[in-house]
Amino acid sequence: MPEFQTSPGMRDVLPPDSGRWRAFVDRFAGTVGPAGYGLVAPPLLEDLGVFQRVGEATDVVSKEMYDFVDKGGRHVALRPEQTAGVCRAFVQHRPATPWKVWYHGPNFRYEKPQRGRYRQFDQVGVEALGSDDPYLDVEVIALAWDFFAALGLRRVRLVLNSLGEPDDRAAYVRALAGWFGDRREELTKESQETLVRNPLRVLDSKRDADQALVAAAPRIHDFWSPSAAAHFADVRRGLDHLAVPYVVDDRLVRGLDYYRRTTFEFQGLTLDSAQNALGGGGRYDGLVEDLGGPATPGVGFALGVDRTLIACDDEGVFGAPDPSPRVFVVDTTGGFQALSIANELRRAGVPTERSYDQRSMKSQMKAADRSGASIAVIVGSDEVASGTVILRSLRRASQESVPREKLIEHLERIEP
Ligand code: HAM
């Protein structure tokens, strides 16, 4: 075993999987770009305080943060998610609103690694700041939905909830704390601990022994103020109109604390339930203010690249793009011809591969077959002398000699 390997929860992404990752991000850009979302790229590292605004009572902040004091004495952290950094950037640069941005890239959480859960993981996402229009919530949710469709995914469920206005949410948390507090002994030990830190998260317990109590607990919709109820009704109306299917689940609480009003999650129906969240999001109307900016509403989502690709594997859609070259250049005269022809073809945008190290004709032809190329361009000393090349169709095993300077023209004719 080599001395150095990736740390637990970290992975190398290699070809051809890396090609799939890139295609995934391109497809996402192609979905959100036409809706006016511009790419934003905040740094991986921020002041710890930026991320503490995500909620000090959450596991993400209290247990999973990669934080350290840098050589300048600043307490910094690797980002566990990107919403807080995007809001920090908004406060710093004060762009005109609505500010609609998308992002992609790695995040870090010190979690227990397992399939679909890593310590470094990639997300794609969008954030829209500066409007509390419920139809903006709908726009954002529909973008994620359309992106799943663009990948070819069918077995995804959208789960929707509202956590109410900040005061509604606070009253609900108090009610839950009291209600679960009265029944503490009936909760599992883990949930008793959660209750102390974050009563809302008890609702998220996946443990069987908690389920009866969770099902009987007070419901958030009884705490909605009229404005929260109206906002939620508008979100539903918009989704219905766009024919985006959803289920309402008033037990849906998210793992981050900044959410107000709309919250949602996309569940992959082919994945194990513990790890089935492909992504999620919601409104975080107080976050910009918490970070020192003007009162600015915001809504967005992030999707986990790994889990969404696992769902794609399960459904047999969005495979890795074919990395095969179109042309393979076989040169038996020492490699200079291969250098020159490959360069010319690549400049013309034709994916082209070649062998190195002056291998035999036979070995180069084998490499051409293995490469998946459809055409071999073959050059030997006769061809150099006569200013020609041989074009061989590797699919049909037919070949012809063509003038060197008309190579590209003939390629198009043989196999467009
Ligand atoms: P989140 O629910 O913490 O939300 O993460 C979103 C998605 O990232 C998850 O559904 C999951 O697919 C993926 N993910 C999270 N942790 C891991 C992990 N350890 N390994 C692999 N994948 C993971 C957020 O991050 C919010 N910033 C979403 C948001 C944007 N809310 C508003 N705007």
Side-chain angles (χ1 to χ4, degrees):
M1 221 207 277
E3 186 181 354
F4 296 114
Q5 306 229 0
T6 45
S7 314
M10 311 270 169
R11 289 146 312 143
D12 299 310
V13 184
L14 309 176
D17 288 343
S18 50
R20 193 181 186 208
W21 279 50
R22 240 198 69 193
F24 184 93
V25 174
D26 287 349
R27 187 69 59 95
F28 190 73
T31 303
V32 301
Y37 291 73
L39 177 65
V40 63
L44 293 184
L45 191 94
E46 302 255 8
D47 252 58
L48 176 66
V50 170
F51 303 123
Q52 280 169 331
R53 301 308 191 280
V54 163
E56 297 204 57
T58 62
D59 285 354
V60 171
V61 171
S62 66
K63 296 188 186 159
E64 298 167 0
M65 199 82 88
Y66 278 88
D67 65 310
F68 60 97
V69 177
D70 75 6
K71 294 191 200 316
R74 286 178 211 89
H75 200 165
V76 292
L78 294 176
R79 65 184 184 201
E81 57 107 54
Q82 300 183 56
T83 311
V86 168
C87 289
R88 194 268 314 136
F90 176 83
V91 174
Q92 185 172 338
H93 304 287
R94 298 290 175 92
T97 55
W99 194 50
K100 304 206 297 184
V101 292
W102 73 276
Y103 52 78
H104 67 94
N107 309 283
F108 302 83
R109 297 183 192 176
Y110 196 83
E111 297 196 81
K112 200 164 159 226
Q114 51 194 289
R115 181 172 143 92
R117 187 173 291 280
Y118 307 98
R119 291 183 176 166
Q120 177 178 332
F121 60 95
D122 270 53
Q123 288 178 337
V124 294
V126 304
E127 310 294 349
L129 283 96
S131 163
D132 67 359
D133 188 331
Y135 296 143
L136 182 57
D137 307 25
V138 176
E139 172 178 305
V140 157
I141 294 170
L143 280 174
W145 191 257
D146 290 348
F147 175 59
F148 290 129
L151 293 174
L153 284 174
R154 294 283 168 273
R155 309 216 46 222
V156 179
R157 175 165 54 208
L158 165 60
V159 183
L160 192 66
N161 191 19
S162 169
L163 293 172
E165 304 287 352
D167 287 348
D168 310 344
R169 182 190 155 120
Y172 182 54
V173 170
R174 277 196 303 277
L176 279 182
W179 195 87
F180 281 124
D182 291 343
R183 296 160 182 79
R184 181 184 305 272
E185 300 309 314
E186 297 168 51
L187 285 170
T188 56
K189 212 171 130 289
E190 294 89 335
S191 286
Q192 291 182 19
E193 282 163 20
T194 309
L195 180 61
V196 178
R197 281 186 296 124
N198 197 340
L200 208 53
R201 292 290 293 168
V202 177
L203 296 180
D204 206 29
S205 165
K206 304 270 193 300
R207 290 171 286 275
D208 287 344
D210 291 321
Q211 294 314 308
L213 220 51
V214 166
R219 329 280 307 191
I220 180 69
H221 61 235
D222 293 327
F223 292 77
W224 287 344
S225 52
S227 66
H231 188 96
F232 195 58
D234 282 340
V235 171
R236 294 187 60 170
R237 182 161 46 236
L239 290 172
D240 291 340
H241 181 72
L242 298 187
V244 175
Y246 57 86
V247 293
V248 174
D249 178 359
D250 63 3
R251 292 292 188 265
L252 176 74
V253 289
R254 308 252 314 120
L256 305 163
D257 257 0
Y258 47 57
Y259 293 111
R260 309 280 178 265
R261 295 196 275 190
T262 316
T263 53
F264 54 89
E265 201 163 274
F266 298 98
Q267 297 173 349
L269 299 178
T270 58
L271 277 77
D272 292 346
S273 69
Q275 237 64 252
N276 72 352
L278 305 182
R283 280 210 159 268
Y284 45 86
D285 294 344
L287 184 57
V288 170
E289 235 176 326
D290 279 352
L291 287 161
T296 307
V299 61
F301 68 79
L303 309 180
V305 177
D306 299 288
R307 288 193 207 165
T308 309
L309 287 177
I310 291 174
C312 288
D313 287 339
D314 291 346
E315 294 200 41
V317 297
F318 201 70
D322 182 3
S324 306
R326 185 166 160 227
V327 171
F328 198 100
V329 186
V330 172
D331 174 5
T332 57
T333 69
F336 185 79
Q337 295 300 321
L339 175 74
S340 142
I341 293 172
N343 182 262
E344 181 185 329
L345 292 175
R346 289 165 183 169
R347 282 185 174 165
V350 180
T352 304
E353 198 43 279
R354 52 161 297 196
S355 299
Y356 303 95
D357 303 320
Q358 304 193 30
R359 300 203 183 278
S360 69
M361 168 86 170
K362 195 169 156 209
S363 139
Q364 292 189 49
M365 286 308 295
K366 254 195 205 154
D369 277 333
R370 262 200 316 269
S371 77
S374 53
I375 301 172
V377 173
I378 304 168
V379 200
S381 39
D382 289 355
E383 284 70 35
V384 174
S386 60
T388 59
V389 295
I390 294 171
L391 283 187
R392 182 176 173 84
S393 165
L394 294 170
R395 294 201 188 114
R396 284 184 246 112
S398 59
Q399 65 179 48
E400 61 185 284
S401 173
V402 303
R404 164 80 174 80
E405 73 275 8
K406 297 247 165 76
L407 170 58
I408 291 181
E409 232 170 86
H410 285 283
L411 272 183
E412 289 310 314
R413 180 177 53 78
I414 296 183
E415 227 140 290

